[in-house]
């Protein structure tokens, strides 16, 4: 039996924020009888950072939000756990977690992105309340180049079983040729006597019909771990694919001495992957190009504790743009995200590290502003990499969406930290303001030659736990690192922004597959994929704006995404949709001609001063589009030549429209912003309300930035996000400015008659039932 410890948690932060949370001054906070009655009630997953103000005193790299040392205490009933084996399983705690139960200390876990568990059986009380205590230390908040969050980011589960139980790596499902299925099951006898076991594996289709079941029997000695292997050829298979992400249910049951002692279920898919050095990537014999996007784990006001519903809305929009692949940048993400990729049909490049045993530069006072910080995981890398790799693989290997394991991102970044005498001066992707002295070869810095050996070490660790998927790595400086032996450790070579080496290196490494592991948004980078059959695809940086990697106060995140932090589409979203999607569409954006061509804002607006020169861009995947102003043709163009059609017009009030053979679009001159329009995206726990500011004819006013106040009844306001990365309004506030006339509001429903009201000066208030 599994118990999700979602509720019953109390939290306190041990630092200087006295006015915002109860603060621990002293005491045995791990002790069972510690008085925690004044602590804040929270639900897990919980990221404490967004509940505090942005401050330029914090690190720019991680979004100007605080870290600290936080304590969590969970009170739970143990009356059903008598004579049972109890394990507490954490999917992710950022970071340096220490765990106690009823005052007993069980251990620590350093990595904030990998899962871990402890057997707490010896401490459990079945006749009174139990207290689980977790200390989370994130004092080195300049430890990363992007937002990591602070707290218990992912679910905590109590696994209650008999002595004979399935281990945390105890189920591995895979198939060959989409016919032969294999299930490897590991069972541990944690008791002191021998038991007679029956291990049963069954596979059911979506309708619940059992298509396979087998049982193996045998004795298992005390303290022994035994493996049970099942093989079967299915007569009929419904394959998993992006177009049809069909999932089976795998059930595993362990019966000990005639009584069920443990069981588990997994959603699994059957598909055949092939990476061909000359022909590219195939799934079920069909050729695919990865139309991929890199994503980080945060979602603005949620921090890194992001509900599944929030990710579902984001992924649906990315999929509508034609995206079929996600790169988990640059560490393992929450299991709910992999579940969604299984269910929705995304390929996944999973990734474990952004640095190894040598630290990278971390920007704490603005991107590329020297001096950098060098905090991070490097102190723990050599002692923890084996456990990290094991957790990384076994936690995700049953997800059909996962097609590649990446062991590192830009480890070979020049002079950050590695260098080589082969290059007198080395510069990389983000070195525009790097001091000249740091660009020069320094024999006192680590030599890049060592990364080949570490890559082989990590690749071997990954393949200990799964040989059904290839190992890759995202290389930033392949003109040098490809000579270090690192390529020998890889099955698929990933290049970040280095399309110019594809042809040459395909000849150098004819037996290796290539993929664009990180790429710019331009048309040339995509054509490097479509023009070369052997390139598996690309992963754009990025799919969604994210906290951290900030240029400088007050900007607290990166604008690199196709979607804003609020999950709204940007102009580049439609540029990408024109390249990737088969669904015919047109979309109009405009900007003043005289402004900076590259940095001007492009808006869905037709509101300008009379006679203003206006550039119009039409994004479309049609062969030809025709633009009209107040019904008069302004010309025709082919948007496929450079990814969009472009026109320059003299503004006149009214409407501008575009027509093509199968699609059209129109925007109109709007009046003053006087009201709201809202769309509710419903979910089991979280309701997402997309809010637009409109004129008296219900037209969106995209230039509006009014302050909007949110009031709730019968539900709890979970956060507001507008997507403006320069807006440092506290996430705990019940108000926020509209950005491009929009914002999104998240609420947790608590009663049947819940509602949310939106108010702003000079506008008709709107109440929405949720």
């Amino acid at each position: 039996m599994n118990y999700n410890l979602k509720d019953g948690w109390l939290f306190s932060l041990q630092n200087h924020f006295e006015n915002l949370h109860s603060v621990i001054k002293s005491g045995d906070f791990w002790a069972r009888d510690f008085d925690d009655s004044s602590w804040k009630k929270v639900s897990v997953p919980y990221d404490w950072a967004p509940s505090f103000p942005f401050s330029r005193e914090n690190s720019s790299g991680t979004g100007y939000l605080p870290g600290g040392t936080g304590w969590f205490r969970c009170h739970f009933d143990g009356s059903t756990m008598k004579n049972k084996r109890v394990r507490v399983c954490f999917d992710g705690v950022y970071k340096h977690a220490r765990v106690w139960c009823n005052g007993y200390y069980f251990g620590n876990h350093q990595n904030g992105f990998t899962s871990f568990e402890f057997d707490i059986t010896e401490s459990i009380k079945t006749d009174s309340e139990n207290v689980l205590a977790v200390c989370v230390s994130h004092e080195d908040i300049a430890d990363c180049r992007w937002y990591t969050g602070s707290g218990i980011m992912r679910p905590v589960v109590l696994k209650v079983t008999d002595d004979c139980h399935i281990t945390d790596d105890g189920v591995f499902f895979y198939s060959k040729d989409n016919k032969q299925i294999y299930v490897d099951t590991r069972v541990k006898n944690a008791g002191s006597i021998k038991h007679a076991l029956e291990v049963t594996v069954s596979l059911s289709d979506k309708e619940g019909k059992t298509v396979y079941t087998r049982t193996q029997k045998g004795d298992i000695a005390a303290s022994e771990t035994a493996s049970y292997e099942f093989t079967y050829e299915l007569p009929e298979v419904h394959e998993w694919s992006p177009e049809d992400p069909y999932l089976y249910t795998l059930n595993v049951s362990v019966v000990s001495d005639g009584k069920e002692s443990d069981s588990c279920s997994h959603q699994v898919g059957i598909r055949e992957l092939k990476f061909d050095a000359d022909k590219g990537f195939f799934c079920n014999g069909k050729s695919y190009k990865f139309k991929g996007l890199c994503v980080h784990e945060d979602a603005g006001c949620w921090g890194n504790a992001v509900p599944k519903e929030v990710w579902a809305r984001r992924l649906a929009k990315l999929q509508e743009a034609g995206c079929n692949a996600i790169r988990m940048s640059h560490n393992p993400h929450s299991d709910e995200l992999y579940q969604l990729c299984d269910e929705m049909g995304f390929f996944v490049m999973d990734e474990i590290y952004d640095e190894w045993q040598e630290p990278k530069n971390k920007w704490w006072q603005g991107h590329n502003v020297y001096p950098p910080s060098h905090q991070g995981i490097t102190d723990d890398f050599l002692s923890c990499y084996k456990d990290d790799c094991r957790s990384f693989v076994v936690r995700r290997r049953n997800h059909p969406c996962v097609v590649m394991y990446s062991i590192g991102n830009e480890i070979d970044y020049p002079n950050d930290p590695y260098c080589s005498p082969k290059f007198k001066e080395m510069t990389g992707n983000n070195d525009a303001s790097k001091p000249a002295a740091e660009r020069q070869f320094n024999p006192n810095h680590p030599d890049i030659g060592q990364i080949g050996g570490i890559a082989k070490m990590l690749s071997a660790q990954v393949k200990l736990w799964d040989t059904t998927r290839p190992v890759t790595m995202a290389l930033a400086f392949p003109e040098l690192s490809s000579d270090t032996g690192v390529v020998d450790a890889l099955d698929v070579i990933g290049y970040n922004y280095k399309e110019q080496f594809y042809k040459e290196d395909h000849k150098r490494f004819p037996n290796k597959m290539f993929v664009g592991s990180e790429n710019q948004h331009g048309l040339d980078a995509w054509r490097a994929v479509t023009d070369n059959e052997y390139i598996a695809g690309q992963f754009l940086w990025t799919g969604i704006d994210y906290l951290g990697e900030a240029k400088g106060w007050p900007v607290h995140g990166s604008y690199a995404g196709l979607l804003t932090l609020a999950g709204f589409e940007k102009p580049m979203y439609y540029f990408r949709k024109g390249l990737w999607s088969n669904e015919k569409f047109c979309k109009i954006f405009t900007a003043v001609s005289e402004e900076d061509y590259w940095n001007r804002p492009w808006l869905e607006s037709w509101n300008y001063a009379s006679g203003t020169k206006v550039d119009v861009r039409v994004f479309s995947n049609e062969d030809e589009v025709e633009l009209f102003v107040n019904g008069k043709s302004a010309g025709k163009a082919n948007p496929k030549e450079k990814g969009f059609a472009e026109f320059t017009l003299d503004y006149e009030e009214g409407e501008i429209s575009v027509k093509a053979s199968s699609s059209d679009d129109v925007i109109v001159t709007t009046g003053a912003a006087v009201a709201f329009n809202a769309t509710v995206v419903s979910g089991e726990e979280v309701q997402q309300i997309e809010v637009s500011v409109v004129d008296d004819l219900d037209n969106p006013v995209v230039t509006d930035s009014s302050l909007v106040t949110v009031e709730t009844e019968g539900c709890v306001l979970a956060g507001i996000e507008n997507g403006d990365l320069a807006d440092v309004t506290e996430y705990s506030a019940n108000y926020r400015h509209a950005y491009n006339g929009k914002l999104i509001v998240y609420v947790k429903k608590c009663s049947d008659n819940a509602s949310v009201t939106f108010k702003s000066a000079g506008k008709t208030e709107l109440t929405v039932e949720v």
Side-chain angles (χ1 to χ4, degrees):
M1 179 71 70
N2 289 349
Y3 298 90
N4 187 346
L5 294 183
K6 176 182 175 183
D7 300 314
W9 290 91
L10 299 165
F11 169 73
S12 189
L13 189 62
Q14 188 184 9
N15 62 15
H16 61 278
F17 295 105
E18 287 89 355
N19 296 325
L20 295 170
H21 283 307
S22 169
V23 178
I24 302 170
K25 293 297 185 183
S26 63
D28 297 330
F29 354 101
W30 46 267
R32 182 169 177 264
D33 60 352
F34 178 82
D35 182 8
D36 55 19
S37 58
S38 64
W39 288 19
K40 179 181 180 179
K41 293 181 180 180
V42 299
S43 295
V44 165
Y46 181 71
D47 179 354
W48 75 65
S51 62
F52 294 102
F54 292 97
S55 171
R56 65 192 312 163
E57 294 180 0
N58 297 320
S59 169
S60 64
T62 48
Y64 294 111
L65 287 170
T69 294
W71 281 83
F72 294 81
R73 289 168 58 89
C74 182
H75 298 250
F76 65 93
D77 177 37
S79 60
T80 62
M81 302 175 190
K82 189 174 183 178
N83 299 322
K84 294 291 185 179
R85 181 68 51 180
V86 183
R87 290 171 291 155
V88 59
C89 307
F90 297 85
D91 194 26
V93 178
Y94 203 92
K95 61 179 182 175
H96 295 163
R98 291 179 288 159
V99 179
W100 293 258
C101 186
N102 293 328
Y104 292 82
Y105 179 63
F106 285 96
N108 65 83
H109 187 78
Q110 304 304 314
N111 193 309
F113 298 105
T114 54
S115 59
F116 60 99
E117 68 174 41
F118 297 109
D119 188 324
I120 58 173
T121 304
E122 66 185 66
S123 69
I124 292 296
K125 296 183 178 297
T126 60
D127 57 353
S128 59
E129 184 180 65
N130 294 269
V131 178
L132 183 69
V134 183
C135 178
V136 182
S137 180
H138 187 199
E139 298 289 346
D140 55 338
I141 59 170
D143 60 335
C144 196
R145 297 185 293 139
W146 61 91
Y147 181 81
T148 62
S150 300
I152 302 179
M153 305 298 195
R154 301 173 189 165
V156 180
V157 175
L158 286 181
K159 294 183 179 180
V160 182
T161 68
D162 289 335
D163 282 340
C164 295
H165 62 266
I166 302 163
T167 63
D168 68 328
D169 63 340
V171 178
F172 183 19
F173 174 93
Y174 58 102
S175 62
K176 292 183 179 179
D177 301 323
N178 283 0
K179 293 181 180 179
Q180 201 85 11
I181 64 168
Y182 299 83
V183 183
D184 291 345
T185 302
R186 288 168 55 85
V187 177
K188 180 177 181 179
N189 178 2
S192 58
I193 63 173
K194 181 173 68 174
H195 292 279
L197 283 192
E198 294 182 11
V199 179
T200 300
V201 167
S202 64
L203 193 69
S204 302
D205 62 18
K206 265 190 176 179
E207 289 70 43
K209 178 184 175 182
T210 300
V211 298
Y212 166 74
T213 185
R214 288 290 186 276
T215 299
Q216 292 187 27
K217 301 180 180 181
D219 292 341
I220 184 169
S223 302
E224 180 185 356
T225 299
S227 296
Y228 300 84
E229 297 181 359
F230 298 81
T231 305
Y232 182 70
E233 185 171 305
L234 291 175
E236 294 183 17
V237 171
H238 196 143
E239 298 171 336
W240 181 95
S241 69
E243 298 82 10
D244 183 13
Y246 190 90
L247 296 173
Y248 291 86
T249 300
L250 176 70
N251 296 299
V252 179
S253 172
V254 176
V255 174
S256 173
D257 299 328
K259 177 186 175 183
E260 184 173 89
S261 61
D262 196 7
S263 64
C264 66
S265 295
H266 296 267
Q267 296 294 104
V268 296
I270 299 173
R271 80 285 183 273
E272 181 186 19
L273 307 177
K274 181 181 178 182
F275 289 82
D276 187 283
D278 294 315
K279 299 295 184 180
F281 170 72
F282 296 80
C283 179
N284 304 326
K286 179 181 177 181
S287 175
Y288 287 89
K289 293 288 190 181
F290 293 128
K291 300 174 180 178
L293 299 167
C294 304
V295 297
H296 280 309
E297 199 167 357
D298 71 276
C301 58
W302 294 100
N304 269 9
V306 185
K308 188 176 181 180
E309 295 100 321
V310 174
W311 269 114
R313 170 179 169 266
R314 294 167 138 209
L315 289 180
K317 292 194 174 191
L318 297 178
Q319 195 167 54
E320 186 178 338
C323 173
N324 67 3
I326 298 293
R327 178 187 176 204
M328 303 295 183
S329 314
H330 296 293
N331 299 95
H333 286 28
S334 67
D335 197 56
E336 288 78 6
L337 183 51
Y338 297 83
Q339 292 172 15
L340 282 168
C341 289
D342 288 341
E343 296 162 7
M344 299 176 71
F346 288 92
F347 298 119
V348 167
M349 177 196 290
D350 210 3
E351 194 157 66
I352 184 169
Y353 289 125
D354 184 56
E355 62 183 2
W356 292 344
Q357 96 287 14
E358 303 292 347
K360 287 183 177 178
N361 291 341
K362 319 295 192 317
W363 310 113
W364 55 277
Q365 51 185 347
H367 191 68
N368 270 350
V369 177
Y370 281 74
S373 161
H374 289 107
Q375 299 169 349
I377 70 163
T378 55
D379 288 347
D380 305 311
F381 175 78
L382 290 176
S383 60
C384 297
Y385 77 89
K386 290 183 180 179
D387 286 340
D388 287 347
C389 287
R390 178 184 179 277
S391 172
F392 169 59
V393 177
V394 302
R395 190 73 177 90
R396 312 289 180 237
R397 65 185 178 182
N398 289 322
H399 288 284
C401 64
V402 177
V403 298
M404 285 183 286
Y405 296 121
S406 170
I407 56 174
N409 171 66
E410 297 185 344
I411 305 298
D412 59 334
Y413 198 76
N415 285 323
D416 187 11
Y418 299 99
C419 62
S420 170
K422 292 183 179 180
F423 281 72
K424 183 177 180 181
E425 181 176 277
M426 298 173 66
T427 59
N429 301 329
N430 300 308
D431 290 343
S433 55
K434 178 176 280 188
E438 293 212 18
R439 299 170 186 251
Q440 305 300 314
F441 167 67
N442 185 337
N444 295 313
H445 287 180
D447 190 290
I448 198 169
Q450 69 175 285
I451 71 170
I454 300 174
K456 291 175 184 177
M457 178 180 75
L458 292 176
S459 180
Q461 287 298 314
V462 167
K463 291 184 177 183
L464 272 179
W465 306 104
D466 185 5
T467 59
T468 69
R469 296 171 174 91
V471 171
T472 187
M473 182 175 167
L475 300 177
F477 206 66
E479 55 266 52
L480 177 60
S481 58
S482 58
D483 292 329
T484 64
V486 67
V487 169
D488 296 337
L490 309 178
D491 305 301
V492 177
I493 304 172
Y495 280 0
N496 286 11
Y497 311 104
K498 292 298 175 81
E499 294 87 355
Q500 67 268 31
F501 295 112
Y502 283 164
K503 290 184 179 180
E504 174 187 340
D505 287 358
H506 177 54
K507 295 176 182 177
R508 290 178 63 201
F509 307 106
N511 298 319
K512 299 287 185 179
M513 181 81 180
F514 282 80
V515 66
S517 41
E518 192 170 312
N519 305 89
Q520 293 179 342
H521 292 253
L523 185 58
D524 288 345
W526 178 237
R527 285 177 174 164
V529 173
T530 59
D531 292 349
N532 296 290
E533 191 176 19
Y534 55 88
I535 303 298
Q538 68 172 190
F539 291 85
L540 297 182
W541 191 263
T542 61
I544 309 167
D545 289 353
Y546 56 95
L547 295 175
E549 208 157 7
K551 297 295 184 183
W553 183 266
V555 176
H556 50 275
S558 168
Y559 287 103
L562 298 180
L563 301 178
T564 69
L565 205 55
F568 293 121
E569 299 88 339
K570 298 182 184 181
M572 287 302 292
Y573 172 94
Y574 295 100
F575 173 77
R576 188 55 43 178
K577 185 175 180 179
L579 298 178
W580 283 357
S581 176
N582 293 322
E583 177 189 355
K584 298 299 182 183
F585 80 99
C586 294
K587 194 71 174 179
I588 303 171
F589 287 88
T590 68
V592 176
S593 292
E594 288 77 12
E595 294 185 2
D596 182 348
Y597 184 85
W598 296 109
N599 297 316
R600 55 191 167 160
W602 290 88
L603 299 173
E604 296 176 72
S605 175
W606 193 236
N607 284 62
Y608 295 94
S610 180
T612 301
K613 287 283 186 183
V614 179
D615 286 343
V616 179
R617 281 187 178 178
V618 178
F619 297 102
S620 178
N621 51 7
E622 300 270 14
D623 293 328
E624 185 178 73
V625 298
E626 186 172 8
L627 190 69
F628 296 87
V629 180
N630 294 325
K632 298 178 182 179
S633 177
K636 299 179 180 180
N638 179 2
K640 292 186 176 180
E641 291 180 357
K642 55 182 180 180
F644 54 86
E646 194 164 33
F647 306 84
T648 300
L649 308 173
D650 290 323
Y651 172 75
E652 59 180 77
E653 183 178 335
E655 73 168 34
I656 183 172
S657 61
V658 63
K659 293 183 179 179
S661 62
S662 304
S663 59
D664 54 45
D665 190 28
V666 59
I667 53 177
V668 301
T669 303
T670 61
V674 296
F676 300 103
N677 195 339
T679 301
V680 179
V681 181
S682 296
E684 285 187 24
E685 296 187 13
V686 176
Q687 318 302 311
Q688 304 173 75
I689 310 171
E690 298 181 352
V691 182
S692 297
V693 184
V694 298
D695 65 10
D696 57 352
L697 296 177
D698 207 32
N699 297 309
V701 183
V702 300
T703 55
D704 185 83
S705 57
S706 299
L707 185 67
V708 181
T709 301
V710 181
E711 297 177 356
T712 61
E713 185 171 344
C715 57
V716 176
L717 177 63
I720 309 172
E721 182 58 73
N722 60 8
D724 181 2
L725 290 171
D727 184 348
V728 289
T729 303
E730 295 179 23
Y731 277 138
S732 58
N734 73 328
Y735 53 85
R736 207 164 184 88
H737 286 276
Y739 182 59
N740 292 338
K742 298 178 182 179
L743 50 80
I744 189 163
V745 175
Y746 304 102
V747 297
K748 294 183 177 180
K749 190 172 180 181
C750 300
S751 68
D752 292 335
N753 298 312
S755 63
V756 182
T757 300
F758 304 97
K759 297 180 179 180
S760 183
K763 298 177 181 61
T764 304
E765 70 178 53
L766 174 67
T767 298
V768 177
E769 294 183 357
V770 294

